[in-house]
Amino acid sequence: MPSHAGEYSRMVASSVAELAGGDLLLAGYGNWAASGNEGGHPVVWLARVTPSGAMDPSFGAGGILYMESLAGAAIRGTAILEPRPGGLVLVAATPTGVEGAQQMAAWGLTASGVPDASYGAGGISRLPMAAEYDSAAVHAATTDAGGRLLVAGALGKTNGQVPHPPGRPELVRVAPDGHVEAGFGAGGVALGPLNAAFNALAVDGAGRILAAGGIEGKAMVERFLTSSAAAAG
């Protein structure tokens, strides 16, 4: 795949989805600079590849769409693609305005991978976080049988509060049209254990959410009931 036109660039692919007709849509992140003396510009990118492995010239510029912002919001960090009825969702992070802080967000894409302004509020759904934290990073995402997006993130505190509250994972569920389901967990957020991380998500045959990761140096998996997002062991 071609690199960014910036002289100094680093790009990493982090997700892939198959489109109708067999094309692949790749998502990734990175940064670029015009010179070695310039600070880097973080970007998230999408690339469309035909079944033969060629870049699709009808998509973006030469098959790649570089984005420093999308739907009026800066877009940062690991990018994850998930399906939704009639299209796709791109999950990443957006700065909150507090120095060093970010929140998870989901952007709607059409079935061909083009930004979809009808999703959420003008194309974006900003995902909530627990009140005692001010930053959340995307760790994993999946989609349930009803087309609802599930996102796992890592909560943290970036301001001068000492001591910082211990980090912990959160789960958020988003309807196919992009609105956050406020009845999920407490105010739309289901929390995992303190000092843990959720790095992978799945939904079992009974519709229960499985979150796998680690806690205090040990591997773990936690199961949540879908009706209330209460931990079930």
Side-chain angles (χ1 to χ4, degrees), residues 46-155:
L46 296 171
R48 185 163 173 166
V49 181
T50 67
S52 68
M55 303 300 296
D56 183 346
S58 69
F59 184 83
I64 301 181
L65 178 63
Y66 291 105
M67 301 172 291
E68 294 186 24
S69 64
L70 182 60
I75 183 168
R76 302 284 187 270
T78 302
I80 301 175
L81 290 168
E82 282 293 321
R84 67 183 175 99
L88 297 162
V89 178
L90 176 65
V91 181
T94 187
T96 64
V98 175
E99 184 177 359
Q102 62 184 9
Q103 70 182 120
M104 302 188 298
W107 287 263
L109 304 176
T110 67
S112 60
V114 175
D116 181 359
S118 69
Y119 183 84
I124 183 174
S125 179
R126 299 174 186 267
L127 308 189
M129 64 185 92
E132 61 268 36
Y133 298 92
D134 68 358
S135 191
V138 175
H139 273 207
T142 193
T143 305
D144 69 13
R148 297 174 298 189
L149 175 70
L150 293 158
V151 182
L155 292 165

